[in-house]
Amino acid sequence: MSDSNNSRPAISGQVASWLGVIAFVAVAIAVIAYAYLAFRSHDGVDADRRVAQKALRADLESKAKGKLTDSGRNADGTYHIPVDAAVALIAAKPEILAKLRQPSTNGGEAPPAPVFTNGNK
Amino acid sequence: MKNLNLILAGVFFTLAASFGGLLLSGQVQLGQLNRAPAEEGGPLFPAKEPGLAIQGRQVYISLGCVACHTQQVRPAGQGNDIARGWAARPSVARDYILQSQVLIGSHRLGPDLVNYGARVKSDDELHTYLRTSVAGSVMPAYGFLYTQSKDGSFRPTEDAVALVAYLKSLKIDYSSPEAKLKQ
Amino acid sequence: MSQEHSSSRSSVSRIDASVSLPVRLFIISSILWLLVASVLSLIVALKLQVPSFLSDCAWFTYGRLEVLQRNAFIYGWASNALFALNLWIMSSLARFELKSSWLPVLGGLVWNLTLTYGLIQVLLGQLNGFALLEMPKEVAPAMVVAFLFAALWPAVAFARRPTGNVFVSQWYIIGATFVFPVITVVAQLMLLWCPTLGVMQALVHSWFYQNLILLWLGGSALSAIYYFIAKESGRTISAYYLATVGFWTYFLFASWTGPATLLGAPIPVWLQSVGVVAALMMLVPIVITAVNFFGTLAPRSGIAQSWNNTTLRFVLVGTVSFIVSALLSVVFSTRSLNALVRFTEFTQAQEHLAVYSFVSMVIFGAAYYILPRLTGSFWPSAKLVHLHFWASTLGSLLFVVAGLNHGWAAHGRTDFAVSALPGLVAAALLFVGHFAFALNAFGMLTAEEAPSSRRSY
């Protein structure tokens, strides 16, 4: 049958082939796993961008808050501020826009929502 | 076709092709999903899970509930999930992004649970159901989640409390950019 | 059915003797796992009929026992048996004498011990929700290493064969063997170690699951079908030139069919469509393998002859089940039909058809061929063989037909009536069959080789 095998150092030969197959499988796994991890690391870039955006927003918000001064306060409790400051404020806290659209229920006292005083609604 | 490495390389190619075509491209499309507001300026959905619900998911997984309950509602054209009143809109990929393990399931011996928190009325009702089940249901009573005190009343264990918090947190009663609730 | 009794072997050949130890280990452990899985499926079926049965303890919830049953069946029974089958078939095709049989033996021991550890952990509640990856996450790496020790020897045999001959069975074995470690590691990485976001997990899992069932289990079983049909009928495979195409198209398309099992799930629709297209393309390898198998057996009353041969009778049932289950998957991958039967017992019956009626029946047939050659003795009882065949065939037929019927009838309904009784009867039948098989096999493996039974050809 396979007597030809006996002339060779058979054990090491078989085990060597076995190790070769394992190496092939390992390389295959490594290639696919590397592809996944490389694609996944884009999430990291995205997370960095989110962190940067968050910092920017906090910065804008603190600046915009500084613009709500008593000298700009209307009689009904709302504020009038320059348009570019209002834009910055909305950019920092988009949910203000939603509050703006709701009719104010308690005399406009509680939320200090910025209202434009230059005729725009 | 006679060389081992050639065959292995060919099979590797077929696997790598499906891996790239299905999983990597899926990752590109789904891997970046964020929470989104239902309308501009509104709160972000899906809402963050309460800590107790996160513990409850572990109980849900550990008891093997996923064997009989799915957590996905198919669009109206595919199956009668919405007609059965399980949810008002189909579930979308964004609904799942906060879940550490996604348990959409593949077999239904009981109702779908993706919107169960919006359907169930009270904690007590849910506890009673878990403890006693109902006649004719395939679901057994999970009596081991409760201890009986001396006056005969039943007290839920920590697992039961967490499980109920988890089940109540399962809701898709909000609009998502991909699937609006009908007004 | 009297094949094993009329043709006795002179003695165990040198090739068979060289792989005897690992093959025996794999077969014995696979049969033990089969018995465990049969008992568990009886309990699970009983719990559907009588929900309060064993419901007083978290250990025995339906969910956990079902997980145990599935893992014991796929990793314990089918995978162990396929280690044995692949090694034996490849050794005899490639005239391979295994020198260092302690390596696969070590692999087999580690595989079974790890599986036992993993299943105990599942019983204690350490599980996760991904079918066939439920065991704790430290288990799968150990099982992959054990797999490399236990199952790569067919590839070594192929690489070191003395002649350049190649037979289609060998491709399937090499392909199947290669697929398992790769998909397991990748799925573990993407689901448990560095989990992907949201429903990507479901997509990854469907890719893993379809590859495991169709390529590792299905590919190995197809190799055995090619081998035994050619060997036992003594005919050459008809339209053999198509077999290459069949092999490559099978591996190419099967690994894309994952999303076809997720129709209607919250994953992108284009991915679902890709899955459906791949499922339809599976028609190519199905038709080719059908032409190969039935083209070989059909002429000159080959089917009738096969029916009288123990091995071929089992293999024939497996072959028919493969064709039927593959065709069912093609037809019910279409969206409108899939929407009707998804989540019902229909899909469970389809899966049973694939992993039991196809893969397991082929393994049974192969065991009836291999064990006598390995031990040099006869199957102790022909009656038990008959009992095994009919119990297994009728049991799985009952399970599949009842499941398909009930799942189909369930569409449009809003209650959850479960047809538990046919499942229970089927599980009992299968248990009887497996018990008969185990009795026969252990009788043979433990019997001292009687000198009188060694007659020359």
Side-chain angles (χ1 to χ4, degrees):
Chain A
M1 293 188 188
S2 51
D3 292 302
S4 58
N5 275 358
N6 293 349
S7 58
R8 283 180 293 192
I11 293 177
S12 63
Q14 287 189 0
V15 174
S17 307
W18 176 63
L19 292 174
V21 182
I22 290 186
F24 201 108
V25 172
V27 168
I29 292 174
V31 168
I32 292 185
Y34 176 76
Y36 164 59
L37 293 176
F39 265 74
R40 192 167 179 271
S41 68
H42 286 289
D43 297 356
V45 176
D46 201 52
D48 290 347
R49 212 181 62 224
R50 278 200 296 271
V51 170
Q53 275 178 344
K54 216 173 183 176
L56 185 67
R57 257 183 209 177
D59 190 40
L60 283 175
E61 193 180 7
S62 65
K63 277 183 189 161
K65 279 239 176 80
K67 289 178 176 126
L68 298 178
T69 54
D70 266 349
S71 60
R73 189 164 185 154
N74 295 330
D76 61 351
T78 58
Y79 293 88
H80 60 267
I81 51 174
V83 171
D84 55 342
V87 169
L89 194 61
I90 291 169
K93 281 187 102 170
E95 51 267 36
I96 285 176
L97 213 58
K99 282 181 191 160
L100 265 183
R101 285 176 188 157
Q102 296 165 0
S104 143
T105 47
N106 46 359
E109 184 59 49
V115 171
F116 307 109
T117 52
N118 57 356
N120 288 344
K121 292 200 172 173
Chain B
M1 281 301 296
K2 295 193 169 185
N3 184 312
L4 173 68
N5 288 340
L6 268 182
I7 302 178
L8 287 179
V11 175
F12 171 69
F13 170 75
T14 63
L15 265 190
S18 67
F19 174 81
L22 297 177
L23 304 192
L24 287 188
S25 53
Q27 173 76 10
V28 168
Q29 189 170 352
L30 297 174
Q32 318 275 331
L33 280 180
N34 288 319
R35 302 200 301 150
E39 57 187 35
E40 204 178 330
L44 298 178
F45 286 113
K48 289 252 166 69
E49 301 169 298
L52 203 54
I54 295 175
Q55 290 176 29
R57 171 179 290 114
Q58 289 311 314
V59 179
Y60 183 92
I61 294 172
S62 150
L63 291 177
C65 306
V66 69
C68 307
H69 294 285
T70 58
Q71 288 185 19
Q72 53 177 323
V73 166
R74 293 173 291 175
Q78 288 177 277
N80 57 350
D81 299 357
I82 291 180
R84 284 170 111 164
W86 284 334
R89 66 164 176 88
S91 44
V92 295
R94 202 184 293 277
D95 298 337
Y96 298 86
I97 56 172
L98 296 181
Q99 304 179 5
S100 56
Q101 255 191 41
V102 171
L103 303 160
I104 64 170
S106 62
H107 189 214
R108 282 178 184 156
L109 283 178
D112 186 272
L113 299 181
V114 75
N115 196 33
Y116 191 64
R119 298 204 301 270
V120 72
K121 290 180 193 67
S122 68
D123 285 14
D124 287 344
E125 179 196 345
L126 197 42
H127 277 301
T128 312
Y129 184 64
L130 280 173
R131 188 170 57 78
T132 59
S133 186
V134 288
S137 166
V138 200
M139 182 166 134
Y142 284 79
F144 56 82
L145 290 174
Y146 297 85
T147 53
Q148 193 167 15
S149 54
K150 287 179 206 93
D151 58 351
S153 64
F154 289 92
R155 289 179 52 80
T157 59
E158 281 177 23
D159 279 359
V161 173
L163 182 61
V164 165
Y166 172 63
L167 291 174
K168 291 201 72 172
S169 79
L170 294 172
K171 282 179 192 170
I172 52 167
D173 55 356
Y174 52 88
S175 286
S176 135
E178 293 84 10
K180 304 278 185 209
L181 286 178
K182 289 193 186 68
Q183 296 298 323
Chain C
M1 276 290 212
S2 59
Q3 179 79 8
E4 310 304 342
H5 297 266
S6 59
S7 72
S8 67
R9 271 133 299 278
S10 57
S11 69
V12 181
S13 78
R14 284 177 57 189
I15 290 173
D16 289 352
S18 79
V19 295
S20 169
L21 191 62
V23 169
R24 274 171 198 246
L25 171 74
F26 295 142
I27 287 188
I28 290 172
S29 33
S30 72
I31 294 174
L32 291 178
W33 282 115
L34 179 65
L35 292 179
V36 171
S38 317
V39 173
L40 285 168
S41 42
L42 255 182
I43 299 176
V44 167
L46 197 58
K47 279 175 84 79
L48 281 188
Q49 179 77 10
V50 188
S52 60
F53 176 65
L54 281 184
S55 69
D56 302 329
C57 174
W59 288 16
F60 304 117
T61 56
Y62 178 85
R64 280 190 202 172
L65 291 184
E66 202 214 16
V67 168
L68 286 183
Q69 192 273 337
R70 180 167 47 229
N71 282 276
F73 190 85
I74 300 288
Y75 293 128
W77 152 246
S79 296
N80 261 314
L82 290 176
F83 294 161
L85 229 64
N86 288 350
L87 180 57
W88 190 87
I89 290 177
M90 189 62 105
S91 303
S92 84
L93 277 175
R95 309 237 136 258
F96 176 71
E97 280 186 51
L98 181 63
K99 292 290 194 300
S100 35
S101 60
W102 64 276
L103 283 170
V105 167
L106 179 70
L109 290 175
V110 175
W111 175 273
N112 288 301
L113 289 177
T114 328
L115 182 60
T116 313
Y117 166 80
L119 293 189
I120 290 174
Q121 291 294 314
V122 168
L123 195 64
L124 298 179
Q126 291 296 314
L127 66 159
N128 59 65
F130 303 110
L132 290 180
L133 285 173
E134 288 109 338
M135 290 183 282
K137 65 179 175 184
E138 67 270 17
V139 168
M143 284 181 73
V144 168
V145 172
F147 184 94
L148 297 180
F149 275 79
L152 289 191
W153 297 96
V156 174
F158 183 79
R160 303 181 66 79
R161 68 199 188 285
T163 61
N165 296 337
V166 182
F167 184 60
V168 54
S169 286
Q170 294 173 310
W171 307 332
Y172 276 101
I173 290 177
I174 289 170
T177 311
F178 175 78
V179 163
F180 182 86
V182 176
I183 58 165
T184 311
V185 171
V186 172
Q188 277 273 317
L189 180 74
M190 295 179 79
L191 292 178
L192 303 179
W193 297 96
C194 307
T196 46
L197 187 78
V199 283
M200 260 308 284
Q201 295 178 1
L203 189 61
V204 173
H205 178 256
S206 74
W207 179 80
F208 162 78
Y209 199 80
Q210 287 295 94
N211 276 328
L212 184 80
I213 301 293
L214 292 178
L215 294 186
W216 162 236
L217 300 183
S220 302
L222 279 176
S223 122
I225 296 183
Y226 272 109
Y227 179 83
F228 287 109
I229 282 187
K231 188 85 175 173
E232 280 289 75
S233 70
R235 304 173 179 191
T236 49
I237 297 289
S238 99
Y240 183 70
Y241 58 95
L242 286 177
T244 323
V245 185
F247 169 74
W248 286 114
T249 49
Y250 186 74
F251 271 72
L252 188 59
F253 297 134
S255 61
W256 288 80
T257 55
T261 63
L262 291 176
L263 296 187
I267 61 167
V269 176
W270 72 267
L271 279 171
Q272 300 177 27
S273 304
V274 169
V276 172
V277 171
L280 290 179
M281 295 300 283
M282 284 293 282
L283 272 176
V284 177
I286 295 167
V287 168
I288 290 177
T289 45
V291 165
N292 283 157
F293 299 149
F294 294 108
T296 308
L297 285 182
R300 291 172 282 130
S301 65
I303 303 275
Q305 286 169 26
S306 316
W307 192 251
N308 291 323
N309 174 306
T310 310
T311 297
L312 275 189
R313 189 188 281 200
F314 277 95
V315 169
L316 207 59
V317 173
T319 312
V320 172
S321 304
F322 165 66
I323 307 283
V324 173
S325 94
L327 286 178
L328 271 180
S329 328
V330 171
V331 173
F332 283 89
S333 293
T334 50
R335 272 173 211 280
S336 48
L337 287 175
N338 185 283
L340 300 180
V341 299
R342 184 143 158 67
F343 305 122
T344 68
E345 286 168 51
F346 194 94
T347 44
Q348 292 214 314
Q350 271 180 293
E351 192 170 309
H352 183 91
L353 199 59
V355 299
Y356 190 88
S357 311
F358 162 40
V359 174
S360 300
M361 289 303 264
V362 171
I363 296 174
F364 290 138
Y368 281 112
Y369 184 92
I370 293 174
L371 275 181
R373 282 157 180 79
L374 211 62
T375 58
S377 50
F378 300 122
W379 286 93
S381 161
K383 282 200 178 104
L384 284 178
V385 178
H386 273 282
L387 179 63
H388 175 208
F389 177 80
W390 286 111
S392 283
T393 308
L394 294 180
S396 59
L397 193 69
L398 175 64
F399 189 90
V400 169
V401 171
L404 293 180
N405 181 40
H406 187 267
W408 178 252
H411 78 259
R413 292 232 309 262
T414 49
D415 60 335
F416 289 98
V418 180
S419 68
L421 200 58
L424 188 58
V425 175
L429 271 175
L430 294 186
F431 177 76
V432 169
H434 299 158
F435 193 70
F437 173 62
L439 217 58
N440 233 348
F442 284 126
M444 188 173 196
L445 285 162
T446 53
E448 283 299 310
E449 218 173 290
S452 60
S453 72
R454 295 178 158 202
R455 281 179 284 132
S456 55
Y457 276 108

